[in-house]
Amino acid sequence: MTAATEFMRPAALAPWACAPDQTRGRRLPQAPSPPRTEHQRDRDRIVHCSAFRRLVYKTQVFINHEGDLFRTRLTHSLEVAQLSRSAARALALNEDLVEAIALAHDLGHTPFGHAGQDALHACMHDHGGFEHNLQSLRVVDTLEQRYPNFDGLNLTFETREGILKHCSRRNAERLSTREPQGPAQRFLTGGQPSLEAQLVNLADELTYIAHDVDDGMRSGLIHWAQLEQVPLLNHWRLRVLDEYPGLQDQGGRRLLAECLRRMISALVMDLVHSTQLALDEARPTSADALRALPAMARLSSDRQEQTAALKRFLFQSLYRHPQVTAMTEMAKTVVADLFQAYTTAPQEMPEEHHQRPWLQRAVADYIAGMTDRFALREHHRLTGQRLFPSTD
Ligand code: MG
């Protein structure tokens, strides 16, 4: 319990952590690269790949050109990595592995966030669909072209397992036929991913609920009067105002920052504490033993309820705000138009895409890899329409 309550640096990894010297390895065996561990090496490969750089111009909630201060997929991924690492360190887990998973977890996202993904999934309805988690795996397994003798980044099993957060049964069957002991197997046989992967999943949620409140307030689409109705936020608002009564009068930016800072710290402490309690009870003897148990990474039931209420608030007030949905409807049009244009005239894509045998999948990969602004430029070039103002 020391690790959970005092946040001291543990001397050694927990027995259920993914030890770097016990990796299940890479699909294509490679000589080690000391002094880096295999998971540090994965992290480095991810940071240097081109899909990672493109995350800077991909939407989280707000379309990229709406403002320079909103989160993008890149800053979101960095925040997830920071939060996951804090929790992993406190729980004596493999920090390098959680960092690699966190930095790669959104690599497969289309431009325009979930609107883009929904549109691409609809376009691919008769051609196997589109899933962003699976696409993230495709990016690191095949789409990146950086090595002379293999496609993709050839990452370790543990990083790939963490990237494939969800997978439909149909896709899991297809992947497992090609790679029977691969990361899709658990979607057929049951079981959990490593604790490092579970931690990143939760850290992802905690990160976005906090930063979407921040971005929502910055955009002016949500207001203090609404936040006061959300118990988790109001709790911290009252605590901060108690200590700094003048903050409400100063425009509220510092007040919001302090509320969110305290909220996220409390949630991470709760995550570490609740997870440690579950581990103390279950006492798995190894990373594989942990994979066979129910999910160990968790929040306490109180915090779970509070974060669920905050998510509901964000759905109702921000993600479904008319101004956001108007943008996402236009984004869907852009993706659907691009899909139509490239499947009708494949030569409009660069050669390496239009020469692939499965045209629809090649088009989906090409569109999924685009940044928001590149997609808008391509849409303008191919249709002559400008759906968004000032896209250059
Ligand atoms: Mg994410």
Side-chain angles (χ1 to χ4, degrees):
M1 283 308 300
T2 314
T5 51
E6 294 177 19
F7 268 39
M8 285 167 60
R9 175 157 205 152
L13 290 183
W16 44 80
C18 287
D21 56 352
Q22 284 166 24
T23 173
R24 287 195 206 168
R26 305 174 189 281
R27 287 195 297 174
L28 200 72
Q30 287 186 282
S33 173
R36 297 179 299 173
T37 68
E38 293 305 315
H39 300 123
Q40 278 180 289
R41 200 179 185 187
D42 280 358
R43 188 262 331 270
D44 297 347
R45 289 179 177 197
I46 291 159
V47 168
H48 289 279
C49 81
S50 76
F52 184 72
R53 288 191 294 281
R54 275 178 269 138
L55 293 178
V56 74
Y57 294 116
K58 288 195 180 200
T59 296
Q60 191 67 27
V61 173
F62 296 90
I63 305 294
N64 186 244
H65 74 271
E66 289 183 279
D68 291 344
L69 297 177
F70 297 122
R71 265 69 173 188
T72 66
R73 291 259 169 227
L74 182 66
T75 59
H76 163 74
S77 301
L78 293 173
E79 290 184 31
V80 176
Q82 178 267 318
L83 214 140
S84 310
R85 282 193 69 135
S86 297
R89 184 176 296 201
L91 287 163
L93 300 179
N94 182 338
E95 276 184 67
D96 298 316
L97 175 58
V98 297
E99 187 178 21
I101 296 170
L103 294 177
H105 85 282
D106 273 352
L107 286 179
H109 265 287
T110 61
F112 314 123
H114 285 281
Q117 161 174 319
D118 292 346
L120 201 48
H121 186 56
C123 294
M124 290 294 286
H125 181 265
D126 297 331
H127 311 282
F130 180 88
E131 296 174 18
H132 72 263
N133 288 297
L134 183 58
Q135 191 69 9
S136 296
L137 190 66
R138 278 175 63 70
V139 168
V140 300
D141 278 358
T142 56
L143 297 178
E144 281 289 323
Q145 298 185 343
R146 304 183 56 78
Y147 292 89
N149 52 342
F150 57 81
D151 287 338
L153 304 177
N154 195 28
L155 302 181
T156 62
F157 169 84
E158 295 78 21
T159 303
R160 297 173 63 231
E161 173 194 41
I163 291 172
L164 194 60
K165 185 163 85 175
H166 298 295
C167 186
S168 64
R169 186 163 186 97
R170 187 177 55 173
N171 281 323
E173 279 166 0
R174 197 171 47 77
L175 290 179
S176 293
T177 309
R178 281 190 305 215
E179 193 186 357
Q181 299 308 316
Q185 187 62 24
R186 73 186 165 89
F187 297 99
L188 301 175
T189 55
Q192 299 292 326
S194 70
L195 188 53
E196 282 84 352
Q198 295 178 31
L199 207 62
V200 176
N201 290 348
L202 268 178
D204 186 15
E205 286 186 28
L206 300 185
T207 305
Y208 84 70
I209 58 175
H211 68 46
D212 286 354
V213 170
D214 193 28
D215 283 354
M217 288 287 280
R218 187 182 293 280
S219 68
L221 298 185
I222 52 178
H223 306 280
W224 276 110
Q226 292 168 289
L227 300 193
E228 288 167 21
Q229 306 303 314
V230 183
L232 186 60
L233 291 167
N234 203 40
H235 168 80
W236 293 112
R237 188 186 73 88
L238 294 174
R239 292 277 289 268
V240 174
L241 282 177
D242 211 30
E243 234 175 288
Y244 301 99
L247 275 189
Q248 184 97 64
D249 311 327
Q250 298 169 22
R253 277 227 62 77
R254 283 175 199 255
L255 174 60
L256 182 63
E258 187 62 14
C259 286
L260 293 176
R261 177 180 301 115
R262 291 184 188 201
M263 181 185 84
I264 210 81
S265 295
L267 290 172
V268 173
M269 283 294 274
D270 185 87
L271 165 63
V272 169
H273 188 70
S274 306
T275 303
Q276 188 66 56
L277 282 176
L279 290 164
D280 287 346
E281 202 167 303
R283 285 278 147 205
T285 50
S286 66
D288 276 341
L290 180 136
R291 285 182 174 98
L293 295 171
M296 290 283 117
R298 61 186 65 178
L299 293 172
S300 63
S301 54
D302 280 0
R303 293 295 191 197
Q304 218 174 316
E305 262 171 50
Q306 291 166 341
T307 53
L310 176 50
K311 268 188 239 174
R312 281 197 300 276
F313 162 73
L314 284 168
F315 266 102
Q316 284 156 9
S317 308
L318 184 62
Y319 308 145
R320 291 195 192 133
H321 189 287
Q323 228 167 299
V324 172
T325 49
M327 279 295 184
T328 52
E329 283 311 309
M330 279 199 274
K332 284 182 184 176
T333 305
V334 170
V335 169
D337 286 352
L338 287 178
F339 189 85
Q340 174 68 26
Y342 294 131
T343 44
T344 311
Q347 70 281 4
E348 294 291 347
M349 295 190 291
E351 202 172 310
E352 76 256 31
H353 296 280
H354 75 72
Q355 288 190 342
R356 283 174 43 188
W358 185 0
L359 177 62
Q360 288 82 5
R361 184 59 61 193
V363 171
D365 286 340
Y366 185 49
I367 294 175
M370 290 180 179
T371 61
D372 294 2
R373 60 185 191 171
F374 182 73
L376 292 172
R377 278 204 297 268
E378 277 294 274
H379 187 260
H380 181 235
R381 181 179 75 82
L382 293 164
T383 68
Q385 299 171 42
R386 250 188 221 286
L387 293 181
F388 292 86
S390 64
T391 53
D392 289 311

